């Protein structure tokens, strides 16, 4: 097809319409040939929220923000992949890991974000394997690291405070091109 549809801005345990579980509904009416899932960055702030691979797929209703910890990242991601694979049986589905961001390491020198990122990327890989979804590994295959990340991210993004460090997570044009090249290698 020569059309591209996309959705944006979600996390595992948010309200109806923005949870990654509900995002799966947005693609079914498009009858897609290819679905690329790129999520998890917003969830890194919820370390205790990650859960385990043994969590049941989340298939429930809206979760009030006060009860956000009732839905784990594993559960929501599994629920989303379950929904995508059952509602789009003819689509090829890819799950992308979280790309290394541009941020300042906290003054104590401990790279907390990278530690959390590794946990969430591992969760993405495990969930993808469970549903036979191919992984596009932006974290390890993009070439982005602590020393060159500023080249690939928008300087005009507003700084956000994550684990005691400012982070910018929205790719600039060069970052987008790098992502597109990596994705295209998987689509061949």
């Amino acid at each position: 097809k020569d059309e591209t549809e996309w959705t944006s801005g979600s996390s595992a345990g948010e309200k109806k319409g923005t949870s990654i579980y509900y995002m799966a509904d947005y693609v079914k009416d498009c009858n897609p040939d290819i679905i690329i899932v790129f999520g998890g960055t917003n969830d890194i702030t919820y370390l205790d929220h990650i859960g385990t691979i043994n969590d049941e797929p989340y298939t429930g209703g809206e979760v009030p923000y006060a009860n956000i910890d009732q839905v784990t990242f594993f559960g929501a991601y599994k629920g989303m992949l379950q929904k995508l694979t059952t509602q789009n049986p003819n689509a090829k589905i890819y799950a992308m890991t979280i790309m290394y961001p541009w941020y300042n390491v906290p003054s104590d020198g401990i790279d907390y974000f990278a530690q959390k990122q590794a946990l969430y990327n591992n969760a993405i890989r495990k969930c993808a394997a469970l549903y036979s979804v191919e992984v596009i590994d932006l974290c390890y295959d993009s070439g982005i690291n602590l020393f060159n990340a500023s080249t690939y991210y928008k300087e005009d993004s507003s700084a956000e405070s994550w684990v005691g460090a400012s982070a910018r997570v929205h790719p600039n044009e060069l970052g987008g091109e790098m992502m597109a090249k990596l994705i295209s290698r998987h689509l061949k």
Side-chain angles (χ1 to χ4, degrees), residues 110-132:
I110 299 172
D111 194 345
Y112 297 105
F113 188 91
Q115 292 173 7
K116 288 184 176 186
Q117 179 190 29
L119 293 173
Y120 280 85
N121 281 339
N122 189 43
I124 291 167
R125 289 182 194 100
K126 285 182 176 183
C127 291
L130 189 63
Y131 290 92
S132 300

Side-chain angles (χ1 to χ4, degrees), residues 73-96:
F73 181 76
F74 268 105
Y77 207 89
K78 286 169 65 176
M80 175 200 51
L81 290 179
Q82 181 174 301
K83 187 183 271 193
L84 286 173
T85 56
T86 57
Q87 290 180 347
N88 305 280
N90 298 320
K92 175 67 176 167
I93 302 172
Y94 298 86
M96 296 198 305

Side-chain angles (χ1 to χ4, degrees), residues 116-151:
K116 288 184 176 186
Q117 179 190 29
L119 293 173
Y120 280 85
N121 281 339
N122 189 43
I124 291 167
R125 289 182 194 100
K126 285 182 176 183
C127 291
L130 189 63
Y131 290 92
S132 300
V133 169
E134 186 175 334
V135 174
I136 299 173
D137 204 328
L138 289 176
C139 182
Y140 294 122
D141 296 338
S142 69
I144 295 178
N145 58 58
L146 179 63
F147 305 103
N148 68 5
S150 63
T151 304

Side-chain angles (χ1 to χ4, degrees), residues 167-180:
R168 295 180 183 166
V169 297
H170 299 101
N172 59 22
E173 188 173 336
L174 188 59
E177 288 173 7
M178 178 279 308
M179 290 172 66

Side-chain angles (χ1 to χ4, degrees), residues 25-38:
D25 287 333
Y26 298 149
V27 298
K28 72 177 180 182
D29 294 331
C30 300
N31 193 25
D33 298 318
I34 298 168
I35 300 169
I36 300 173
V37 178
F38 183 35

